[in-house]
Amino acid sequence: MLSQGTVVLRIGFIILSLTSFGLLMENRPKAGILEIIRCIVFIGVYKLGYLRSQFSSLGYAYEV
């Protein structure tokens, strides 16, 4: 069972990822900056514990 905050955070991250990937595919000038922001958000969300998985092998993949 996920809390509302976790669900909103995950949905926001998915939207940010799709936007970033779209801008990268279109070769827009601001795409690199948005991708850096997306990576920083991912690291922050992971370190806060919102991306813990029930599969322990995914923890290593997230760290990489």
Side-chain angles (χ1 to χ4, degrees):
M1 189 85 177
L2 298 174
S3 70
Q4 275 186 330
T6 303
V7 171
V8 168
L9 241 150
R10 287 183 178 196
I11 290 171
F13 184 74
I14 290 170
I15 291 171
L16 178 63
S17 296
L18 290 173
T19 303
S20 177
F21 296 151
L23 291 176
L24 284 169
M25 292 295 200
E26 293 178 356
N27 204 17
R28 298 276 179 105
K30 303 284 183 183
I33 295 170
L34 188 61
E35 182 64 16
I36 291 170
I37 292 170
R38 187 188 71 83
C39 291
I40 291 170
V41 168
F42 175 80
I43 291 169
V45 168
Y46 177 73
K47 291 297 181 185
L48 288 174
Y50 288 107
L51 289 177
R52 300 287 183 235
S53 175
Q54 47 186 314
F55 304 107
S56 60
S57 60
L58 286 179
Y60 178 72
Y62 286 156
E63 287 290 333
V64 171

